[in-house]
Amino acid sequence: MVFPFKNGVKQVLKAGVLAVALLSAGCGREETTFPAEMPPSVAAPTAEPVASQSFTRTAKEMLMADFTLYRVDCATKDTGIFPTGFPAGLCQSQSDMPYGEDPVTKLYWGYHGSPDILSEEDSLGEGVTAFKWVVSKNASDPSKTGICYDFSVPEGNYTVTLGFYNPFGVRKISVECEGKTEIKAEKILRYNVNEKSFETKVTDGILNLKVCNPDAHTFMESPILSYITIASEPEYTRELLSAAVESMRVDNAAELYTEKSVKSYLSALEAAEKFLSKESNNGVNQIKQKFKDLRESYKMLTKKYKYDSFNPGAVWTDTEGTPIQAHGGQVQQLEIPDPETGKISTKWVWVGEDKTHGYRGGVCAYTSDDLYNWKFEGIIMRNVPSRRALEKEEYFKDLYAGYSDAELDNVALALDAERAVIERPKLIYNEKNRQYVLWFHADGPTATSNSNYAAACAGVAVSDTPFGPYRFVGRYRLNTCPPDQEDKHPQSKGMARDMNLFKDTDGTAYIIYSSEENLTLYISKLNEDYTYLETEPEKAVYGKDFIRLFPGAQREAPALFLKDGRYYLMTSGCTGWAPNQARYYVADSVMGEWTSKGDPCIGDSNHTTFESQSTCIFLDVNSGTWIYMGDRWFADTLNDSRYIWLPIVFKDNGDMEISFVSNWKLR
Ligand code: DGJ
C-alpha cells in the first residue's frame, strides 16, 4: 500500500496558515511569538525536508499496526518512549512532541504549545503514570482555550479516537476536526476511562484537531486530553483479507477461548477462507464485510477463565467472560434437563436481576457444577418493550397466545421495560405439577402515583422448563394487618416489596416479604401450585395463613433457611441501595415465634454487613458449607454491583457468625 503524503514544504506552509486560524480559535498562542508561516514549536525546515514524502506499507504491516498512523500519549514528558505501554503508530517515533518534524519518520505532527496548556501526571495505580493536557488556572479565557494538534496524513478517511482520564468532576468536551464539530459538549465522567471516536476525511494532507469546551467559564470546566489515535481506513483488497486470515489464525482457539467467542470467530474465519479460495472473488464490499467480521470476532475472542475460589466484591464473570447479572438473586440445586441434550443432571441454578442496562431489566439464570464457574442460560423472563410487542414479537406472541386484551394490558403494565421495577426474583419447582414458578418483587408507578415503588406487589410467572421463557401470571397485593393488631401503614393495604421464598420439609411453600411500607415483614403460605396464596387475603386467618413479624422494625431483604430443625431469617434494614446492619432471627417453625439474635457479622466495623445486603442463604451439602449471598449495590452503576458470598460459621449453640474473607474455597 502506498500512501502519498503531500509535499512536505506545502505541509509546513499549511501549518503556518493553520497557526493563525488556531490562534483566533483560541489555541493559546501569542501572535507575536511566531512567524505567520510557522508555529513556534516547529524547527526551521531544512532546504528540502520531506519534499516528496511517501509512505509505503504492506497490507500486513498496516494490519499489524491496526491501521494506526499515530498513537499519541498526550503530554508525556519523556518523549521517545511510551510510558503507559502504548505501541507507537506507524508515522511517529515519539510518544508526543511539539508540532514539527518527527526525527525518524520525517513527517510533521504534534501539539501546538501554549502557556495556557499544561502537562499533568496522574498515578493510575500499580506503578503506572498517565499524563494528560490540562488548562492552566491562569488561562484568561477557558472558553477559548483549546488543545490543538496537527498530523501529516495521506488523503483519505480516518477514525480518530480520543481518550480522557478524568480525576476531576464531570467535564464537557467538544472536538473540532477538519473544520467540523465532531463531538459537541459530551460528558467526560470522573474516574472513568472515557473514550470518544469519530470518522473524518482528510483532503489536504493534514488532519487538524482541537479539543475544547466552548462553554467553559472556569478552569474546572476546561478541557483535558490523555491520548489520541489516528487510524486509516483499510484498503479492502484480497491481499489484505489473506494477510488477515494468516495473522488472525488461532489453531487451538477452542482450547483457549470461550465457547461463544470461538464460535463466531471460526465462522468468520471459515467464510474468509472460502471467499479467498475462489480466485474470481474480488468484490470490495464483500472483502470489506469478510474482513470486518474476521477482525471483530478475532478481537472479541475471550480467554477462558476458570475460578477455583470465591472473591467477594470482585467482578465475577460467567463462562463467556461477561460479568454475571443475577442481582438480588437466589442459588439452589435443581435436577434439570440439559437444554441441548435433554439429559437430566443436578446443577446449581442462580437466578437474579438483569441490571445490564441499569435499574430496569428482566430476570437472568445461570448454572454451575462447582458454584465458582457459572454458565449463562439466558434472560428467563424478559421485560416488555411495548404493549404492541406482546402481539407482534414472536417471543411474546407465542408466550401469551390465548391471553385476553385485558390480560395483555396487565402483562404490559407489570413488565413494562420503561416503567416496571422487577426485583429479587426467586424460583421454586413444583414437583406435583412439574412447573417452575418464579416470584419477584413487581413494582412501578400506578394510576395515582408516579413513584417507582407505588405498586408494591408480588409478581408470579411460570414455565415448564427451568430457563423459560416464563409467562407472567399476575401481580398481587398480599395479606393485610388483622383488625385487632396495629397496622403500621393503614393507608395502603397488602403491600409486598423485598421478598423471598421458602419450601419447608413437608413441601409447603411460603413467601416472606416487606409490607406496610417496609415497616413490617410478613410470611404468607402459598397454595399447592405455588402460584398464589393458600387463602386469599379477605379470608386468610392470622397465624394459620400468615403472620406479621417485628411491626415497625423496618426490615427487608429476607433470606429464610432451615438448619438442624431451627428456622433462621436473615434481614437488612431499609436504606435504599446503601448497605446497613444485618439482623437475624430464629424460630422453631415458620409460623412460630421469631426471636431476634442481632447482627451475625464479626469484625464488620462499619456495621454495613460488609457493605452488602442479604438475598439468599443456602447449603452446599458436599462441603457442608452454609453460604451467605449478598449484594453490594452501586447505586450509580447498578450493572456493576458486586456479589458478596461468605461462609457462615454456626457455633455449638446454633448462633450464626459471618466474617469477611477476601478469597476462600469450599472445603
Ligand atoms: C433495597 C431493596 O432491598 C432493593 O431490592 C431495592 O429495592 C432498593 N432498596 C431500591 O432502593
Side-chain angles (χ1 to χ4, degrees), residues 395-442:
Y395 173 95
F396 294 115
K397 235 166 71 180
D398 291 352
L399 196 57
Y400 292 107
Y403 269 43
S404 68
D405 278 354
E407 284 168 336
L408 289 177
D409 290 347
N410 194 34
V411 177
L413 175 74
L415 303 185
D416 187 340
E418 301 284 320
R419 286 161 67 85
V421 173
I422 298 169
E423 290 180 340
R424 298 189 172 267
K426 305 288 180 293
L427 186 60
I428 189 166
Y429 179 59
N430 191 299
E431 273 142 21
K432 215 184 65 186
N433 55 17
R434 298 194 181 159
Q435 200 173 40
Y436 294 85
V437 185
L438 188 70
W439 281 80
F440 53 98
H441 169 193

Side-chain angles (χ1 to χ4, degrees), residues 550 553-556 569-573 580-585 596-601 609 614 656:
F550 337 120
Q554 241 188 349
R555 308 305 297 169
E556 65 178 7
L569 177 60
M570 178 72 159
T571 67
S572 80
N580 54 52
Q581 189 168 23
R583 194 183 303 159
Y584 79 105
Y585 303 83
S596 174
K597 298 291 291 178
D599 183 355
C601 299
T609 321
S614 44
M656 187 168 134

Side-chain angles (χ1 to χ4, degrees), residues 544-609:
K544 177 179 162 283
D545 294 310
F546 73 104
I547 53 168
R548 295 169 74 234
L549 296 179
F550 337 120
Q554 241 188 349
R555 308 305 297 169
E556 65 178 7
L560 204 162
F561 62 97
L562 170 66
K563 180 181 186 290
D564 300 333
R566 212 174 181 207
Y567 295 80
Y568 291 75
L569 177 60
M570 178 72 159
T571 67
S572 80
C574 300
T575 49
W577 300 113
N580 54 52
Q581 189 168 23
R583 194 183 303 159
Y584 79 105
Y585 303 83
V586 292
D588 293 331
S589 66
V590 176
M591 301 292 248
E593 280 297 313
W594 288 87
T595 311
S596 174
K597 298 291 291 178
D599 183 355
C601 299
I602 307 292
D604 177 31
S605 50
N606 297 331
H607 306 300
T608 57
T609 321

Side-chain angles (χ1 to χ4, degrees), residues 152-192:
S152 296
V153 291
E155 288 179 14
N157 296 330
Y158 293 87
T159 303
V160 178
T161 304
L162 304 171
F164 312 87
Y165 303 125
N166 182 12
F168 311 117
V170 174
R171 297 222 168 174
K172 277 188 184 158
I173 302 284
S174 292
V175 179
E176 291 164 22
C177 183
E178 292 300 283
K180 258 177 79 190
T181 301
E182 294 286 358
I183 295 175
K184 199 164 180 203
E186 280 195 27
K187 276 191 181 160
I188 301 295
L189 300 176
R190 190 177 186 181
Y191 297 133
N192 284 21

